[in-house]
Amino acid sequence: MTTPELLAPAGTPDHLETAFAYGADAVYAGQPRYSLRVRNNSFKDVEALGAGIARAHELGKQFYLVSNIAPHNDKVRSYLRDLAPVLEQKPDALIMSDPGLIMLVRESWPDQTIHLSVQANAVNWATVEFWRRQGISRVILSRELALNEIREIREKVPSMELEVFVHGALCMAYSGRCLLSGYMNHRDANQGACTNACRWNYKEVAHTTDQTGDLIATSASMPEQTVQAFEPKEILLEEPNRPGGYIPAYEDEHGTYIMNSKDLRAIQHVAELVKMGVHSLKIEGRTKSTYYVARTTQAYRRAIDDAVAGKPFDMKMMDELEALSNRGYTEGFLRRHVPQEYQTYEQGSSFLGTQQVVGTIAETDEQWLTIDVKNKFAPGDQLELITPDGNLRFSASVMENRKGETMEYAPGSGHFVRIPKPEGLPESLDFSYLTRILPSA
């Protein structure tokens, strides 16, 4: 049994370092102009990308450059010009989706390794075989595939590397090809400018009809007394051309969420994917926090290693991922479920998760840990220290400021406190996070 690659997101150099510290074999990042993450991307120029690629190679790891935009003519004109200096930095592969750009790269750099992006919607073995004949070395399979479909593709095209998403946000559109953001506020998701309009809350507005029968707003919002008297609604929708095809929706005081996808969590299927011979397991989240990268990479690293070693799946890993804020978890399409298993119609914002990051380790000596506080916590709270070398749960009996004065609690971001050094502390505290275990509801 071969060990698949663990591929983690790197939106910034800090994310890259964190991913590798927690066991990732490779990271992916993109040029803002040519990938689907225009915002929150620190790899904005050739120098930044070059530094990231060099750091990955220094650690013996891989760096993949995301270049998966659906380009219009103006971007086709500038693409090769802008790509040339980046390729001089020697990324290990380009992640691409557009056949035209793939053709141009093949003509200019015939030896460049190319991975086919999930945006290309590869959902069957014939498509995978087609791309193999075009010289593509790896296909990132569509998220809409079941385990048995992935297995058949692997059997039919054994020489093609396959990559599968196992964790992260899901799009309500097919493989992320969405027009909603562009329609709602003129930010094209297929050009990297998605505003997540499917996650927004939508509130009822007082309205009337004009002479043509179109609905027009009579005010910016419902009258104040109506808002104050609001009661939750359960709405059952029916499309006139499909009588009996009912769609449930719910509205609370915050609005209604009818397109919200749950988050993917497939850690329980890692062993099956490893057994199939999938080459790479991928975590989504280039705009998430470094803590998210640490937690997910740590969990999936262990799941892969356990699967290769033949160990039974440890359900505690499911609980570890519950520590992260999420929109509710789903297995995605890996196993077939009824539609409501994919979407969350009532919950618009994320669930808080079972743990909250309260700080990072600023200093340590023989007796104390000095904490750079991020969120409020107090003596007696149940804490967990997350490190690349393992995690440690403990409770601090006392807390001091840097002057040695007793504190009843750590106020929050911008403060430093000291707590007693617990027993069993890992030797290295680089890339560590201190979390507070939240009380059960």
Side-chain angles (χ1 to χ4, degrees), residues 232-271:
K233 299 178 183 178
E234 295 182 356
I235 306 167
L236 196 61
L237 306 176
E238 183 182 27
E239 207 282 318
N241 294 324
R242 294 173 177 80
Y246 301 119
I247 304 171
Y250 304 90
E251 184 177 9
D252 61 20
E253 68 274 14
H254 303 296
T256 186
Y257 309 87
I258 61 174
M259 296 170 284
N260 233 356
S261 174
K262 293 182 179 180
D263 290 341
L264 175 65
R265 178 184 59 184
I267 196 166
Q268 65 273 43
H269 297 304
V270 164

Side-chain angles (χ1 to χ4, degrees), residues 112-325:
Q112 175 60 50
T113 300
I114 298 177
H115 295 173
L116 189 72
S117 170
V118 71
Q119 298 296 125
N121 298 97
V123 294
N124 61 71
W125 68 264
T127 296
V128 173
E129 172 61 17
F130 167 83
W131 285 111
R132 185 192 68 79
R133 296 183 187 185
Q134 309 312 307
I136 299 299
S137 61
R138 177 185 295 182
V139 170
I140 306 169
L141 293 175
S142 171
R143 292 181 177 95
E144 288 76 23
L145 292 176
L147 287 168
N148 63 310
E149 294 175 301
I150 297 171
R151 183 182 297 106
E152 184 176 4
I153 291 171
R154 185 75 186 95
E155 292 170 352
K156 292 278 191 179
V157 196
S159 60
M160 175 64 82
E161 291 188 9
L162 300 180
E163 183 174 306
V164 174
F165 276 93
V166 290
H167 197 93
L170 290 171
C171 182
M172 53 81 68
Y174 202 89
S175 286
R177 291 190 165 191
C178 183
L179 300 176
L180 188 63
S181 176
Y183 174 78
M184 298 295 291
N185 65 345
H186 311 295
R187 297 285 295 274
D188 190 348
N190 299 300
Q191 298 299 309
C194 181
T195 57
N196 294 312
C198 60
R199 312 281 192 199
W200 297 352
N201 60 325
Y202 296 89
K203 298 180 181 179
E204 186 177 356
V205 176
H207 63 273
T208 185
T209 56
D210 62 15
Q211 292 179 343
T212 64
D214 290 334
L215 296 180
I216 57 173
T218 57
S219 65
S221 60
M222 294 292 286
E224 185 64 25
Q225 62 270 24
T226 304
V227 175
Q228 292 176 349
F230 180 86
E231 294 183 2
K233 299 178 183 178
E234 295 182 356
I235 306 167
L236 196 61
L237 306 176
E238 183 182 27
E239 207 282 318
N241 294 324
R242 294 173 177 80
Y246 301 119
I247 304 171
Y250 304 90
E251 184 177 9
D252 61 20
E253 68 274 14
H254 303 296
T256 186
Y257 309 87
I258 61 174
M259 296 170 284
N260 233 356
S261 174
K262 293 182 179 180
D263 290 341
L264 175 65
R265 178 184 59 184
I267 196 166
Q268 65 273 43
H269 297 304
V270 164
E272 183 64 24
L273 293 167
V274 170
K275 186 177 179 181
M276 288 180 201
V278 170
H279 295 81
S280 181
L281 302 183
K282 187 172 191 174
I283 298 168
E284 183 277 338
R286 277 185 282 161
T287 62
K288 299 288 184 70
S289 68
T290 54
Y291 172 63
Y292 167 90
V293 171
R295 269 292 197 183
T296 53
T297 303
Q298 183 186 62
Y300 283 90
R301 175 77 272 157
R302 180 184 165 198
I304 291 171
D305 292 345
D306 283 358
V308 172
K311 297 180 180 178
F313 177 68
D314 185 353
M315 287 294 293
K316 290 181 180 178
M317 287 188 280
M318 303 279 278
D319 295 332
E320 290 173 8
L321 293 170
E322 290 287 351
L324 293 165
S325 296

Side-chain angles (χ1 to χ4, degrees), residues 61 68 76 115 122 126 142 157 162 213 231-232 290 334 357 363 436:
K61 309 286 187 175
N68 63 348
V76 173
H115 295 173
S142 171
V157 196
L162 300 180
E231 294 183 2
T290 54
L334 293 174
V357 175
E363 300 172 8
R436 178 171 69 98

